[in-house]
Amino acid sequence: MMNKTTSLILVFFFFIAGVKAQPEKTDYGNNPRAGHYANVNGIQLYYETYGSGEPLVMFHGNGGSINAFRNQIPFFEKHYRVIAIDSRLQGKSGGSPDTISYRLMVSDFNALMEQLHVDSAFVLGWSDGGIDGLLLAIEHPDKVKKLAISGANTVPDSTAVPYKDILDMRNFVEHDKKATPTVIALNKMMLYQPHISDQNLHTIKCPTLVMAGDHDIIKPCHTIRIFKAIPKAELCIFPDSNHGVCIQHPKEFNETVERFFRK
């Protein structure tokens, strides 16, 4: 018959064994087993690769990193070779606050795809990453097989974003003394960029899925305008969803994007 001390030791042993048996959680955006650096346009651009198959490139939002797609990478790596990138001046990637623009970031992405010998890829972009996806499809059309974007805008004014949010951002950029030069530069980019015309959007040749939440910071009328301007576009507005629908409702988001890619 076991005494109390022996029982506690056995319980502790099985608890430790159970903990060790748990699968290790992947730290997306900080995973040395998947991480790489590429020298592009004079900076070190950080990216991580997962899975195998046709390439799927992921672009995150402003001030974010690869980790923004922590709910997408495990799903899509089962079907694709996922290439998730830290945008210039964000995550682990280099860059200078003095030179930052959406077009420069897209030039980085295109150069990385060239280095990786990716002639054409599926592209998924969220928020600022959606802007990057649109510009990649406009400026390097051969690189994009299909494009899925969520919460993107094509102009930095109140036709796209509520005026109050623009005023708040302007106040932050002009008066916040504690913010770093990087944070200020990234917010200035959102405040004054992008400038993508409907005529630019009309040149996009690839099938495009335009998505947003029904409570997105991007106005529904602007999302619909993007959808209407792209010849081969489809529209999806997620119910009960905000700007971060890929985090808020990852299952619905992932399955919607996958159905579109596989059409």
Side-chain angles (χ1 to χ4, degrees):
M1 184 174 180
M2 291 187 293
N3 59 33
K4 186 175 181 181
T5 302
T6 304
S7 298
L8 286 172
I9 290 171
L10 285 173
V11 168
F12 181 74
F13 172 79
F14 286 118
F15 172 76
I16 293 297
V19 168
K20 288 183 177 178
Q22 294 293 322
E24 185 179 344
K25 191 173 181 180
T26 302
D27 188 6
Y28 296 106
N30 190 32
N31 182 4
R33 288 177 296 182
H36 312 272
Y37 284 93
N39 187 5
V40 299
N41 294 334
I43 68 164
Q44 290 290 299
L45 195 70
Y46 180 76
Y47 65 100
E48 293 180 358
T49 58
Y50 298 89
S52 61
E54 293 183 275
L56 165 58
V57 183
M58 295 184 176
F59 304 145
H60 64 77
N62 191 292
S65 72
I66 291 165
N67 189 258
F69 289 118
R70 60 191 175 274
N71 295 319
Q72 280 65 57
I73 295 172
F75 177 88
F76 286 101
E77 70 171 329
K78 298 172 185 175
H79 312 285
Y80 304 89
R81 175 193 175 197
V82 173
I83 304 168
I85 309 171
D86 274 347
S87 300
R88 170 183 288 258
L89 207 60
Q90 296 158 78
K92 292 177 175 290
S93 289
S96 168
D98 298 327
T99 53
I100 184 70
S101 71
Y102 295 113
R103 282 194 156 80
L104 185 53
M105 291 193 290
V106 168
S107 177
D108 295 338
F109 301 149
N110 180 64
L112 176 62
M113 293 173 74
E114 292 281 354
Q115 285 193 28
L116 298 179
H117 305 291
V118 175
D119 296 326
S120 181
F122 295 97
V123 174
L124 172 61
W126 169 36
S127 192
D128 272 23
I131 298 171
D132 297 329
L134 290 170
L135 286 172
L136 186 68
I138 291 166
E139 298 182 358
H140 306 280
D142 293 342
K143 287 291 195 297
V144 187
K145 185 175 296 183
K146 283 191 175 185
L147 172 64
I149 60 169
S150 180
N153 60 296
T154 58
V155 289
D157 60 34
S158 59
T159 65
V161 181
Y163 188 58
K164 180 183 181 302
D165 293 303
I166 295 173
L167 288 179
D168 289 344
M169 195 182 307
R170 186 177 299 159
N171 183 61
F172 172 79
V173 165
E174 293 175 355
H175 301 294
D176 194 301
K177 304 303 181 184
K178 296 180 181 179
T180 66
T182 292
V183 171
I184 293 296
L186 290 172
N187 276 271
K188 275 187 176 179
M189 183 174 68
M190 288 192 294
L191 194 56
Y192 300 114
Q193 301 177 39
H195 294 282
I196 305 170
S197 69
D198 287 357
Q199 289 76 16
N200 295 146
L201 293 175
H202 195 70
T203 67
I204 294 177
K205 303 302 182 191
C206 65
T208 303
L209 176 61
V210 180
M211 300 177 287
D214 61 347
H215 292 90
D216 208 297
I217 190 173
I218 305 301
K219 291 181 176 180
C221 58
H222 186 71
T223 299
I224 293 170
R225 175 181 168 182
I226 295 172
F227 155 68
K228 288 183 175 179
I230 299 173
K232 297 179 182 177
E234 297 180 21
L235 178 67
C236 178
I237 304 295
F238 291 94
D240 188 31
S241 301
N242 56 34
H243 188 59
V245 63
C246 59
I247 295 172
Q248 190 182 13
H249 300 300
K251 183 176 184 294
E252 292 83 354
F253 181 89
N254 296 344
E255 290 176 351
T256 298
V257 173
E258 171 63 1
R259 279 196 302 271
F260 169 72
F261 283 160
R262 286 303 174 197
K263 271 189 177 181

